[in-house]
Amino acid sequence: MILIIWRKLQRVNVIKLGGSVITDKANYRKVNQALLRNLCEVISSNKEKKILIHGAGSFGHILALKFGLDKPGPIKGREAEIARVISDVLTLDSEIVDELNAKGVKAISVPPHVIYNSNKPDFKPVQSLLRKGFVPVLYGDIILFNGKYRIISGDEIALDLSRKFRPESVVFLTDVDGLYDRDPKKNKNAKLIPSIKSKMISVVDTDTDATGSMAGKMERIKKMVAYSRRVVVLNGKKPERLGRYFRGMETISTVIT
Ligand code: ADP
Ligand code: IPE
């Protein structure tokens, strides 16, 4: 009984703000300021316990691809390039956390390169912040251990957090209305899939960024449904949809179970 009550109190929601939403992915270090402000406002309207994650967008992918950091490898000799990218994503992170706090979300950063220091992430800082009533914020980053570097996407962090915290829901905000039968940016006739069983998703490679784009996200989501009751993909460029989702109203999205 006590365990059930404790688990209920602990239940969190995970929200990932895609880099395609908060940044202009084609322009190095360009934040979509107005949209970010609106999203933070909507997020602040939701008082549930939550963990936020954001992607790296043009603060991560452009240089990671230019430097060839998308393939993991030995740190030695690559320190300057790695530190440059880590510094850029941290810059984006502080802009986001600053905006969240401006809207009243008690957000505190938890840099992934600090907590991914061995084979298993150490989520104690996340747990501790949650218990104290803060909103932990993690992000796509470069992690370093065993003499090697590796890019970790926000989507992969969402999966690891799901294993650890068994969230009530995981919401992915991206720049399209949800999951389609084909890439909607390349096929005018692509159809939105309002709901789908994870088993029915077949992942086709859509590699266009350093972490595998939608294919990478879907691979993680397929595993995530084992740990979270609901996984939703929503258009983050339409913040009112997130607002409707928070209020339990119907909205355009893909629900994966
Ligand atoms: P984010 O930065 O939000 O995490 P990504 O840029 O990695 O997201 O992936 C979103 C992009 O994936 C969309 O802009 C879309 O063009 C592309 N995409 C490819 N295949 C699909 C699909 N089947 N359904 C939806 N989007 C897709
Ligand atoms: C990428 O993180 C991290 C780096 C390139 C350093 P994500 O894969 O989560 O970023 P987005 O959401 O696609 O921009």
Side-chain angles (χ1 to χ4, degrees):
M1 183 63 180
I2 289 168
L3 187 70
I4 293 168
I5 294 170
W6 181 80
R7 277 202 182 277
K8 254 191 133 62
L9 287 174
Q10 280 294 108
R11 278 274 186 195
V12 293
N13 295 290
V14 173
I15 304 170
K16 186 208 168 190
L17 286 66
S20 65
V21 177
I22 48 181
T23 77
D24 174 349
K25 262 183 141 166
N27 280 307
Y28 180 54
R29 288 175 52 128
K30 175 116 181 35
V31 176
N32 291 330
Q33 297 285 0
L35 187 59
L36 175 64
R37 266 197 296 279
N38 290 343
L39 273 174
C40 291
E41 178 97 57
V42 173
I43 292 170
S44 76
S45 71
N46 176 273
K47 306 297 177 207
E48 288 169 1
K49 207 182 264 276
K50 60 177 92 53
I51 303 172
L52 298 178
I53 307 169
H54 63 80
S58 59
F59 286 68
H61 290 286
I62 293 178
L63 283 193
L65 286 172
K66 185 175 164 201
F67 294 155
L69 294 173
D70 47 323
K71 309 266 176 302
I75 294 169
K76 210 156 175 36
R78 313 296 301 274
E79 292 87 344
E81 293 162 332
I82 292 167
R84 175 76 260 164
V85 174
I86 289 183
S87 162
D88 280 352
V89 291
L90 197 58
T91 302
L92 172 64
D93 181 65
S94 28
E95 285 205 34
I96 293 173
V97 169
D98 193 44
E99 197 55 53
L100 284 163
N101 276 285
K103 300 287 185 224
V105 181
K106 300 164 196 86
I108 297 185
S109 288
V110 182
H113 63 267
V114 176
I115 59 169
Y116 281 82
N117 243 325
S118 68
N119 285 329
K120 266 186 87 180
D122 175 9
F123 284 131
K124 275 193 221 82
V126 175
Q127 193 150 31
S128 157
L129 287 174
L130 277 174
R131 279 213 195 98
K132 292 168 186 145
F134 293 102
V135 176
V137 181
L138 297 91
Y139 51 89
D141 200 1
I142 301 184
I143 55 174
L144 312 158
F145 68 89
N146 255 352
K148 299 204 180 79
Y149 69 84
R150 175 169 85 79
I151 287 186
I152 188 160
S153 68
D155 303 333
E156 187 179 342
I157 296 173
L159 174 58
D160 289 340
L161 286 169
S162 300
R163 281 200 188 99
K164 170 79 182 165
F165 294 97
R166 313 270 159 155
E168 189 68 26
S169 72
V170 184
V171 177
F172 289 91
L173 299 174
T174 188
D175 67 342
V176 291
D177 287 349
L179 178 65
Y180 287 75
D181 59 353
R182 287 164 283 180
D183 186 343
K185 287 206 186 129
K186 293 190 185 139
N187 303 280
K188 267 207 272 156
N189 298 325
K191 286 197 182 63
L192 179 69
I193 304 167
S195 66
I196 187 165
K197 292 249 177 260
S198 66
K199 284 194 288 264
M200 303 301 290
I201 301 174
S202 54
V203 180
V204 186
D205 202 7
T206 55
D207 218 344
T208 54
D209 65 18
T211 52
S213 188
M214 189 51 87
K217 199 185 302 302
M218 282 305 143
E219 261 167 34
R220 268 71 198 223
I221 289 179
K222 274 173 82 74
K223 296 183 184 148
M224 212 174 284
V225 291
Y227 310 108
S228 176
R229 211 173 290 176
R230 211 171 37 238
V231 181
V232 184
V233 183
L234 268 171
N235 194 334
K237 294 202 154 176
K238 311 255 163 77
E240 67 281 2
R241 293 193 187 162
L242 179 64
R244 289 179 67 84
Y245 171 79
F246 281 152
R247 294 194 296 278
M249 295 160 81
E250 232 176 76
T251 189
I252 297 167
S253 65
T254 298
V255 178
I256 301 134
T257 49

